[in-house]
Amino acid sequence: MKVLLLKDAKEDDCGQDPYIRELGLHGLEATLIPVLSFEFLSLPSFSEKLSHPEGYTGLIFTSPRAVEAVELCLEKNNKTEVWEKSLREKWNAKSVYVVGNATASLVNKIGLDAEGENCGSAEKLAEYICSRESSALPLLFPCGALKREILPKMLKDKGIPMESITVYQTIPHPGIQVNLNSYYSKQGVPASITFFSPSGLAYSLKHIQELSGDSMDQIKFAAIGPTTARALAAQGLPVSCTAKSPTPHALATGIRTVLQPHGCC
């Protein structure tokens, strides 16, 4: 059974995207089509902040892109050596909070110890942070231009200081239409389509509706998490499945369930 995932490919240690592999283990033939591109912003300012861990009580990462911004700062400003010699250790003496295993994995790759990755959403991470933080120093929160306000608001309401800096913005992937046209012409209408962000939904929905035509009602729509599920519902699309956590296994289990007769998740 063919399923479509609207995300870019990320190879793991086995050289394969973990979503492709996990869905394959559940008997599903998955195809990935990227719908988002990213532009990085304010990197000199962010780099300066990264150079002064003494001014913060820790870091918050809610997306892989924010971690990539750290990597770019280190590369562009020739700070890799000073990061490895001292900065990394200083940040590791503080809390580094993350949402999701994919983000945690990238945080680990730059040598930082992540916590909170099992929270599964920004809301739950905020609750986790609120249960632990009591410092007068702010948490540094590199984020995207479309960040939701729920995490900052929850921390503010609890009196936990936080300093956010926009380090990337989301733009449509230039190949969305061509790649979707190619997929539909070769594979036909997929049994299920998974969206990984509200932005990805916004940039791809019109093309999917045009290509699916009358078959739109037959597609089982899945969301990687509650925020994306709400965006689907706001567009009037039935959400057949919301992954219980933003992981390949949780998504594959959910999609497999809804594609079985009388299944639901």
Side-chain angles (χ1 to χ4, degrees), residues 206-243:
K206 180 186 171 188
H207 303 306
I208 288 168
Q209 288 170 326
E210 290 173 352
L211 290 164
S212 301
D214 294 338
S215 300
M216 192 79 176
D217 293 342
Q218 300 168 22
I219 301 170
K220 301 293 186 185
F221 293 105
I224 194 61
T227 304
T228 305
R230 285 191 289 270
L232 278 162
Q235 291 288 346
L237 295 174
V239 183
S240 297
C241 171
T242 302

mmCIF file of all heavy atoms in Angstrom, residues 206-243:
data_model
loop_
_atom_site.group_PDB
_atom_site.id
_atom_site.type_symbol
_atom_site.label_atom_id
_atom_site.label_comp_id
_atom_site.label_asym_id
_atom_site.label_seq_id
_atom_site.Cartn_x
_atom_site.Cartn_y
_atom_site.Cartn_z
ATOM 1 N N LYS A 206 -3.017 22.848 -2.012
ATOM 2 C CA LYS A 206 -3.673 23.189 -3.287
ATOM 3 C C LYS A 206 -3.267 22.208 -4.388
ATOM 4 O O LYS A 206 -4.107 21.724 -5.162
ATOM 5 C CB LYS A 206 -3.302 24.620 -3.689
ATOM 6 C CG LYS A 206 -3.927 25.068 -5.010
ATOM 7 C CD LYS A 206 -3.396 26.438 -5.413
ATOM 8 C CE LYS A 206 -3.836 26.785 -6.833
ATOM 9 N NZ LYS A 206 -3.191 28.015 -7.336
ATOM 10 N N HIS A 207 -1.965 21.893 -4.460
ATOM 11 C CA HIS A 207 -1.478 20.959 -5.489
ATOM 12 C C HIS A 207 -2.074 19.570 -5.274
ATOM 13 O O HIS A 207 -2.460 18.903 -6.242
ATOM 14 C CB HIS A 207 0.050 20.873 -5.451
ATOM 15 C CG HIS A 207 0.743 22.194 -5.634
ATOM 16 N ND1 HIS A 207 0.505 23.015 -6.709
ATOM 17 C CD2 HIS A 207 1.657 22.842 -4.869
ATOM 18 C CE1 HIS A 207 1.245 24.111 -6.618
ATOM 19 N NE2 HIS A 207 1.952 24.030 -5.497
ATOM 20 N N ILE A 208 -2.149 19.141 -4.028
ATOM 21 C CA ILE A 208 -2.685 17.811 -3.717
ATOM 22 C C ILE A 208 -4.168 17.729 -4.086
ATOM 23 O O ILE A 208 -4.624 16.731 -4.646
ATOM 24 C CB ILE A 208 -2.469 17.481 -2.219
ATOM 25 C CG1 ILE A 208 -0.987 17.218 -1.972
ATOM 26 C CG2 ILE A 208 -3.303 16.288 -1.783
ATOM 27 C CD1 ILE A 208 -0.591 17.174 -0.518
ATOM 28 N N GLN A 209 -4.910 18.791 -3.792
ATOM 29 C CA GLN A 209 -6.332 18.804 -4.133
ATOM 30 C C GLN A 209 -6.534 18.721 -5.644
ATOM 31 O O GLN A 209 -7.399 17.978 -6.126
ATOM 32 C CB GLN A 209 -6.991 20.074 -3.579
ATOM 33 C CG GLN A 209 -7.152 20.066 -2.069
ATOM 34 C CD GLN A 209 -7.582 21.411 -1.506
ATOM 35 O OE1 GLN A 209 -7.188 22.453 -2.032
ATOM 36 N NE2 GLN A 209 -8.371 21.393 -0.440
ATOM 37 N N GLU A 210 -5.724 19.462 -6.391
ATOM 38 C CA GLU A 210 -5.855 19.462 -7.855
ATOM 39 C C GLU A 210 -5.506 18.096 -8.439
ATOM 40 O O GLU A 210 -6.194 17.590 -9.343
ATOM 41 C CB GLU A 210 -4.942 20.532 -8.464
ATOM 42 C CG GLU A 210 -5.408 21.961 -8.188
ATOM 43 C CD GLU A 210 -4.410 23.008 -8.648
ATOM 44 O OE1 GLU A 210 -3.278 22.624 -9.043
ATOM 45 O OE2 GLU A 210 -4.745 24.206 -8.614
ATOM 46 N N LEU A 211 -4.451 17.480 -7.914
ATOM 47 C CA LEU A 211 -4.009 16.192 -8.449
ATOM 48 C C LEU A 211 -4.914 15.041 -8.026
ATOM 49 O O LEU A 211 -5.112 14.083 -8.778
ATOM 50 C CB LEU A 211 -2.568 15.906 -7.989
ATOM 51 C CG LEU A 211 -1.481 16.783 -8.615
ATOM 52 C CD1 LEU A 211 -0.186 16.700 -7.823
ATOM 53 C CD2 LEU A 211 -1.232 16.367 -10.067
ATOM 54 N N SER A 212 -5.477 15.125 -6.834
ATOM 55 C CA SER A 212 -6.314 14.037 -6.315
ATOM 56 C C SER A 212 -7.725 14.081 -6.887
ATOM 57 O O SER A 212 -8.359 13.027 -7.065
ATOM 58 C CB SER A 212 -6.386 14.102 -4.781
ATOM 59 O OG SER A 212 -5.098 14.006 -4.213
ATOM 60 N N GLY A 213 -8.223 15.276 -7.167
ATOM 61 C CA GLY A 213 -9.565 15.400 -7.734
ATOM 62 C C GLY A 213 -10.620 14.746 -6.867
ATOM 63 O O GLY A 213 -10.657 14.932 -5.643
ATOM 64 N N ASP A 214 -11.473 13.936 -7.482
ATOM 65 C CA ASP A 214 -12.566 13.275 -6.767
ATOM 66 C C ASP A 214 -12.075 12.205 -5.793
ATOM 67 O O ASP A 214 -12.843 11.731 -4.957
ATOM 68 C CB ASP A 214 -13.545 12.632 -7.767
ATOM 69 C CG ASP A 214 -14.274 13.682 -8.599
ATOM 70 O OD1 ASP A 214 -14.354 14.836 -8.136
ATOM 71 O OD2 ASP A 214 -14.741 13.344 -9.709
ATOM 72 N N SER A 215 -10.804 11.813 -5.927
ATOM 73 C CA SER A 215 -10.256 10.780 -5.043
ATOM 74 C C SER A 215 -9.813 11.340 -3.696
ATOM 75 O O SER A 215 -9.378 10.586 -2.823
ATOM 76 C CB SER A 215 -9.060 10.089 -5.711
ATOM 77 O OG SER A 215 -9.455 9.480 -6.917
ATOM 78 N N MET A 216 -9.910 12.650 -3.527
ATOM 79 C CA MET A 216 -9.467 13.302 -2.283
ATOM 80 C C MET A 216 -10.141 12.663 -1.057
ATOM 81 O O MET A 216 -9.515 12.480 -0.014
ATOM 82 C CB MET A 216 -9.799 14.793 -2.353
ATOM 83 C CG MET A 216 -9.159 15.632 -1.280
ATOM 84 S SD MET A 216 -7.421 16.002 -1.609
ATOM 85 C CE MET A 216 -7.067 17.082 -0.216
ATOM 86 N N ASP A 217 -11.411 12.299 -1.208
ATOM 87 C CA ASP A 217 -12.169 11.741 -0.079
ATOM 88 C C ASP A 217 -11.680 10.355 0.329
ATOM 89 O O ASP A 217 -11.995 9.886 1.434
ATOM 90 C CB ASP A 217 -13.662 11.655 -0.429
ATOM 91 C CG ASP A 217 -14.296 13.029 -0.582
ATOM 92 O OD1 ASP A 217 -13.685 14.003 -0.097
ATOM 93 O OD2 ASP A 217 -15.370 13.131 -1.199
ATOM 94 N N GLN A 218 -10.938 9.697 -0.549
ATOM 95 C CA GLN A 218 -10.474 8.338 -0.249
ATOM 96 C C GLN A 218 -9.144 8.331 0.514
ATOM 97 O O GLN A 218 -8.743 7.306 1.065
ATOM 98 C CB GLN A 218 -10.315 7.544 -1.553
ATOM 99 C CG GLN A 218 -11.603 7.412 -2.351
ATOM 100 C CD GLN A 218 -11.345 6.893 -3.755
ATOM 101 O OE1 GLN A 218 -10.321 6.267 -4.022
ATOM 102 N NE2 GLN A 218 -12.277 7.165 -4.666
ATOM 103 N N ILE A 219 -8.457 9.473 0.538
ATOM 104 C CA ILE A 219 -7.135 9.542 1.163
ATOM 105 C C ILE A 219 -7.262 9.655 2.680
ATOM 106 O O ILE A 219 -8.083 10.429 3.188
ATOM 107 C CB ILE A 219 -6.333 10.748 0.627
ATOM 108 C CG1 ILE A 219 -6.169 10.650 -0.895
ATOM 109 C CG2 ILE A 219 -4.959 10.833 1.298
ATOM 110 C CD1 ILE A 219 -5.605 11.914 -1.533
ATOM 111 N N LYS A 220 -6.458 8.874 3.407
ATOM 112 C CA LYS A 220 -6.386 8.993 4.864
ATOM 113 C C LYS A 220 -5.287 10.005 5.195
ATOM 114 O O LYS A 220 -4.114 9.778 4.890
ATOM 115 C CB LYS A 220 -6.047 7.637 5.498
ATOM 116 C CG LYS A 220 -7.043 6.529 5.176
ATOM 117 C CD LYS A 220 -8.396 6.784 5.804
ATOM 118 C CE LYS A 220 -9.329 5.596 5.583
ATOM 119 N NZ LYS A 220 -10.689 5.864 6.088
ATOM 120 N N PHE A 221 -5.684 11.092 5.813
ATOM 121 C CA PHE A 221 -4.716 12.138 6.145
ATOM 122 C C PHE A 221 -4.182 11.940 7.554
ATOM 123 O O PHE A 221 -4.946 11.723 8.502
ATOM 124 C CB PHE A 221 -5.347 13.521 6.003
ATOM 125 C CG PHE A 221 -5.689 13.869 4.587
ATOM 126 C CD1 PHE A 221 -7.007 13.837 4.147
ATOM 127 C CD2 PHE A 221 -4.692 14.198 3.681
ATOM 128 C CE1 PHE A 221 -7.311 14.148 2.833
ATOM 129 C CE2 PHE A 221 -4.991 14.508 2.364
ATOM 130 C CZ PHE A 221 -6.313 14.482 1.940
ATOM 131 N N ALA A 222 -2.846 12.022 7.676
ATOM 132 C CA ALA A 222 -2.187 11.825 8.967
ATOM 133 C C ALA A 222 -1.371 13.062 9.315
ATOM 134 O O ALA A 222 -0.917 13.802 8.435
ATOM 135 C CB ALA A 222 -1.284 10.588 8.926
ATOM 136 N N ALA A 223 -1.196 13.274 10.611
ATOM 137 C CA ALA A 223 -0.407 14.410 11.102
ATOM 138 C C ALA A 223 0.652 13.895 12.062
ATOM 139 O O ALA A 223 0.412 12.960 12.826
ATOM 140 C CB ALA A 223 -1.316 15.417 11.809
ATOM 141 N N ILE A 224 1.821 14.525 12.034
ATOM 142 C CA ILE A 224 2.923 14.096 12.901
ATOM 143 C C ILE A 224 2.690 14.488 14.355
ATOM 144 O O ILE A 224 3.295 13.923 15.264
ATOM 145 C CB ILE A 224 4.273 14.660 12.395
ATOM 146 C CG1 ILE A 224 5.462 13.952 13.067
ATOM 147 C CG2 ILE A 224 4.334 16.162 12.599
ATOM 148 C CD1 ILE A 224 5.542 12.459 12.798
ATOM 149 N N GLY A 225 1.801 15.466 14.574
ATOM 150 C CA GLY A 225 1.536 15.901 15.942
ATOM 151 C C GLY A 225 0.282 16.741 16.028
ATOM 152 O O GLY A 225 -0.370 17.021 15.014
ATOM 153 N N PRO A 226 -0.092 17.148 17.234
ATOM 154 C CA PRO A 226 -1.364 17.855 17.436
ATOM 155 C C PRO A 226 -1.449 19.217 16.747
ATOM 156 O O PRO A 226 -2.523 19.611 16.292
ATOM 157 C CB PRO A 226 -1.449 17.991 18.968
ATOM 158 C CG PRO A 226 -0.057 17.796 19.469
ATOM 159 C CD PRO A 226 0.597 16.870 18.506
ATOM 160 N N THR A 227 -0.333 19.939 16.649
ATOM 161 C CA THR A 227 -0.359 21.254 15.995
ATOM 162 C C THR A 227 -0.715 21.107 14.517
ATOM 163 O O THR A 227 -1.562 21.831 13.982
ATOM 164 C CB THR A 227 1.005 21.954 16.119
ATOM 165 O OG1 THR A 227 1.355 22.043 17.497
ATOM 166 C CG2 THR A 227 0.962 23.343 15.523
ATOM 167 N N THR A 228 -0.079 20.138 13.863
ATOM 168 C CA THR A 228 -0.364 19.893 12.446
ATOM 169 C C THR A 228 -1.779 19.340 12.265
ATOM 170 O O THR A 228 -2.468 19.688 11.305
ATOM 171 C CB THR A 228 0.680 18.919 11.856
ATOM 172 O OG1 THR A 228 1.991 19.449 12.086
ATOM 173 C CG2 THR A 228 0.477 18.739 10.361
ATOM 174 N N ALA A 229 -2.231 18.517 13.202
ATOM 175 C CA ALA A 229 -3.596 17.979 13.136
ATOM 176 C C ALA A 229 -4.624 19.108 13.199
ATOM 177 O O ALA A 229 -5.625 19.100 12.469
ATOM 178 C CB ALA A 229 -3.825 16.983 14.275
ATOM 179 N N ARG A 230 -4.372 20.091 14.058
ATOM 180 C CA ARG A 230 -5.292 21.229 14.152
ATOM 181 C C ARG A 230 -5.305 22.031 12.852
ATOM 182 O O ARG A 230 -6.354 22.538 12.427
ATOM 183 C CB ARG A 230 -4.909 22.123 15.332
ATOM 184 C CG ARG A 230 -5.288 21.532 16.687
ATOM 185 C CD ARG A 230 -5.145 22.548 17.800
ATOM 186 N NE ARG A 230 -3.753 22.865 18.119
ATOM 187 C CZ ARG A 230 -3.031 22.207 19.023
ATOM 188 N NH1 ARG A 230 -3.559 21.193 19.701
ATOM 189 N NH2 ARG A 230 -1.783 22.562 19.268
ATOM 190 N N ALA A 231 -4.140 22.154 12.203
ATOM 191 C CA ALA A 231 -4.066 22.878 10.930
ATOM 192 C C ALA A 231 -4.856 22.139 9.843
ATOM 193 O O ALA A 231 -5.537 22.774 9.023
ATOM 194 C CB ALA A 231 -2.608 23.046 10.508
ATOM 195 N N LEU A 232 -4.784 20.823 9.838
ATOM 196 C CA LEU A 232 -5.561 20.020 8.887
ATOM 197 C C LEU A 232 -7.051 20.228 9.113
ATOM 198 O O LEU A 232 -7.821 20.455 8.169
ATOM 199 C CB LEU A 232 -5.217 18.530 9.047
ATOM 200 C CG LEU A 232 -3.955 18.018 8.346
ATOM 201 C CD1 LEU A 232 -3.514 16.690 8.946
ATOM 202 C CD2 LEU A 232 -4.213 17.851 6.861
ATOM 203 N N ALA A 233 -7.462 20.153 10.374
ATOM 204 C CA ALA A 233 -8.882 20.319 10.705
ATOM 205 C C ALA A 233 -9.368 21.707 10.306
ATOM 206 O O ALA A 233 -10.502 21.878 9.830
ATOM 207 C CB ALA A 233 -9.101 20.083 12.197
ATOM 208 N N ALA A 234 -8.505 22.715 10.462
ATOM 209 C CA ALA A 234 -8.875 24.088 10.114
ATOM 210 C C ALA A 234 -9.111 24.241 8.606
ATOM 211 O O ALA A 234 -9.853 25.124 8.168
ATOM 212 C CB ALA A 234 -7.784 25.059 10.570
ATOM 213 N N GLN A 235 -8.485 23.363 7.816
ATOM 214 C CA GLN A 235 -8.680 23.371 6.364
ATOM 215 C C GLN A 235 -9.867 22.490 5.953
ATOM 216 O O GLN A 235 -10.128 22.306 4.759
ATOM 217 C CB GLN A 235 -7.412 22.869 5.654
ATOM 218 C CG GLN A 235 -6.234 23.810 5.750
ATOM 219 C CD GLN A 235 -6.394 25.053 4.899
ATOM 220 O OE1 GLN A 235 -7.265 25.118 4.042
ATOM 221 N NE2 GLN A 235 -5.573 26.063 5.159
ATOM 222 N N GLY A 236 -10.548 21.932 6.934
ATOM 223 C CA GLY A 236 -11.703 21.092 6.642
ATOM 224 C C GLY A 236 -11.357 19.672 6.240
ATOM 225 O O GLY A 236 -12.207 18.935 5.712
ATOM 226 N N LEU A 237 -10.117 19.261 6.503
ATOM 227 C CA LEU A 237 -9.702 17.911 6.144
ATOM 228 C C LEU A 237 -9.894 16.962 7.333
ATOM 229 O O LEU A 237 -9.545 17.312 8.468
ATOM 230 C CB LEU A 237 -8.229 17.892 5.724
ATOM 231 C CG LEU A 237 -7.877 18.667 4.454
ATOM 232 C CD1 LEU A 237 -6.371 18.669 4.244
ATOM 233 C CD2 LEU A 237 -8.569 18.054 3.244
ATOM 234 N N PRO A 238 -10.420 15.775 7.095
ATOM 235 C CA PRO A 238 -10.566 14.804 8.177
ATOM 236 C C PRO A 238 -9.196 14.245 8.583
ATOM 237 O O PRO A 238 -8.412 13.829 7.723
ATOM 238 C CB PRO A 238 -11.436 13.704 7.564
ATOM 239 C CG PRO A 238 -11.181 13.807 6.088
ATOM 240 C CD PRO A 238 -10.907 15.259 5.805
ATOM 241 N N VAL A 239 -8.894 14.271 9.863
ATOM 242 C CA VAL A 239 -7.613 13.751 10.360
ATOM 243 C C VAL A 239 -7.826 12.305 10.785
ATOM 244 O O VAL A 239 -8.423 12.025 11.824
ATOM 245 C CB VAL A 239 -7.092 14.593 11.537
ATOM 246 C CG1 VAL A 239 -5.719 14.087 11.981
ATOM 247 C CG2 VAL A 239 -7.016 16.068 11.153
ATOM 248 N N SER A 240 -7.339 11.388 9.959
ATOM 249 C CA SER A 240 -7.527 9.962 10.269
ATOM 250 C C SER A 240 -6.586 9.486 11.353
ATOM 251 O O SER A 240 -6.883 8.539 12.071
ATOM 252 C CB SER A 240 -7.311 9.126 9.001
ATOM 253 O OG SER A 240 -8.274 9.447 8.023
ATOM 254 N N CYS A 241 -5.435 10.160 11.470
ATOM 255 C CA CYS A 241 -4.425 9.692 12.411
ATOM 256 C C CYS A 241 -3.515 10.828 12.836
ATOM 257 O O CYS A 241 -3.040 11.588 11.997
ATOM 258 C CB CYS A 241 -3.602 8.586 11.752
ATOM 259 S SG CYS A 241 -2.155 8.095 12.692
ATOM 260 N N THR A 242 -3.294 10.946 14.137
ATOM 261 C CA THR A 242 -2.256 11.829 14.673
ATOM 262 C C THR A 242 -1.268 10.946 15.416
ATOM 263 O O THR A 242 -1.659 10.201 16.320
ATOM 264 C CB THR A 242 -2.848 12.869 15.654
ATOM 265 O OG1 THR A 242 -3.840 13.634 14.984
ATOM 266 C CG2 THR A 242 -1.753 13.807 16.163
ATOM 267 N N ALA A 243 -0.007 10.989 15.004
ATOM 268 C CA ALA A 243 1.004 10.138 15.654
ATOM 269 C C ALA A 243 1.041 10.429 17.159
ATOM 270 O O ALA A 243 0.992 11.586 17.576
ATOM 271 C CB ALA A 243 2.373 10.397 15.033
#
